[in-house]
């Protein structure tokens, strides 16, 4: 999330200084943020990181002993030869490509009806939902004491809720000015 937050702030400052329509520009990059993140995910396989618990599913991946989380480091219980793990980075890659495809399809299907910012707000929703779901398989993330939810999952849920609120605001005010 750090890259998106600081990259976003840099972009907003750049857009402001150059008098660009920030929402239109954010819409133009929203699907490609997802594609860029998806393209980068195979690096997680190379680094043997961001994987989930053991699985017997045919697409489970092997993880070397040196890269295993402590709860799966006992090779007598989780042998190298037979233990496979959920490739959560691949799940996120598939989700991101599908979400990008949906945003691109929406941008073409409803080109005349979409208000500036809608695609970016949709990115917030889709990226947030995908990450929140995939985080359920990621036991390596720090958990907020007493809540049992990881920080990254909470941020993802807040991102999705913000996106929904912004879409609702964009198309129908949340607070009516009439009494």
């Amino acid at each position: 999330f750090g890259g998106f937050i600081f990259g976003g702030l840099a972009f907003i400052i750049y857009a402001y200084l150059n008098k660009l329509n920030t929402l239109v520009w954010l819409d133009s990059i929203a699907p490609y943020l997802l594609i860029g993140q998806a393209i980068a995910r195979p690096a997680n396989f190379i680094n043997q990181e961001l994987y989930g618990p053991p699985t017997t599913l045919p697409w489970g991946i092997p993880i070397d002993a040196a890269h295993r989380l402590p709860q799966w480091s006992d090779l007598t219980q989780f042998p190298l030869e037979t233990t496979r793990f959920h490739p959560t980075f691949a799940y996120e890659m598939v989700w991101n490509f599908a979400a990008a495809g949906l945003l691109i399809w929406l941008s073409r299907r409803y080109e005349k009806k979409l208000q500036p910012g809608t695609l970016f707000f949709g990115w917030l929703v889709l990226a947030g939902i995908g990450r929140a779901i995939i985080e359920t398989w990621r036991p390596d993330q720090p958990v907020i004491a007493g809540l049992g939810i990881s920080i990254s999952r909470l941020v993802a849920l807040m991102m999705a809720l913000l996106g929904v609120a912004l879409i609702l605001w964009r198309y129908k005010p949340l607070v009516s000015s009439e009494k």
Side-chain angles (χ1 to χ4, degrees):
F1 290 116
F4 284 125
I5 291 170
F6 291 109
L9 288 174
F11 171 74
I12 289 169
I13 291 167
Y14 177 84
Y16 175 78
L17 293 175
N18 290 285
K19 297 177 181 21
L20 301 175
N21 184 329
T22 306
L23 291 177
V24 170
W25 280 90
L26 286 172
D27 279 350
S28 72
I29 64 170
Y32 308 104
L33 289 172
L34 291 161
I35 291 171
Q37 190 173 9
I39 289 170
R41 284 295 170 211
N44 301 128
F45 176 72
I46 294 166
N47 295 332
Q48 295 195 2
E49 60 188 6
L50 305 182
Y51 58 89
T55 183
T56 57
L57 294 170
W59 56 81
I61 58 167
I63 299 294
D64 292 338
H67 294 96
R68 288 188 179 186
L69 296 172
Q71 62 265 44
W72 301 310
S73 62
D74 180 357
L75 298 181
T76 59
Q77 188 177 1
F78 303 103
L80 285 174
E81 300 78 28
T82 58
T83 305
R84 300 292 181 259
F85 295 88
H86 278 283
T88 56
F89 58 85
Y91 300 161
E92 187 170 357
M93 184 173 71
V94 170
W95 176 271
N96 286 346
F97 278 131
L102 177 61
L103 289 179
I104 291 168
W105 177 80
L106 287 171
S107 73
R108 285 172 171 64
R109 173 74 171 86
Y110 299 101
E111 181 179 359
K112 304 274 190 237
K113 294 180 181 182
L114 288 178
Q115 295 183 30
T118 304
L119 289 178
F120 180 72
F121 303 152
W123 172 80
L124 287 171
V125 173
L126 293 171
I129 288 172
R131 187 72 179 263
I133 291 169
I134 291 161
E135 288 292 319
T136 61
W137 286 297
R138 298 268 318 280
D140 60 330
Q141 298 298 302
V143 174
I144 299 169
L147 293 180
I149 187 171
S150 70
I151 296 166
S152 55
R153 190 169 186 204
L154 181 62
V155 169
L157 289 169
M158 290 172 31
M159 192 168 102
L161 289 173
L162 175 63
V164 168
L166 289 169
I167 289 170
L168 291 173
W169 165 78
R170 199 72 178 126
Y171 286 92
K172 181 179 177 185
L174 291 175
V175 179
S176 177
S177 60
E178 299 176 314
K179 289 189 178 188

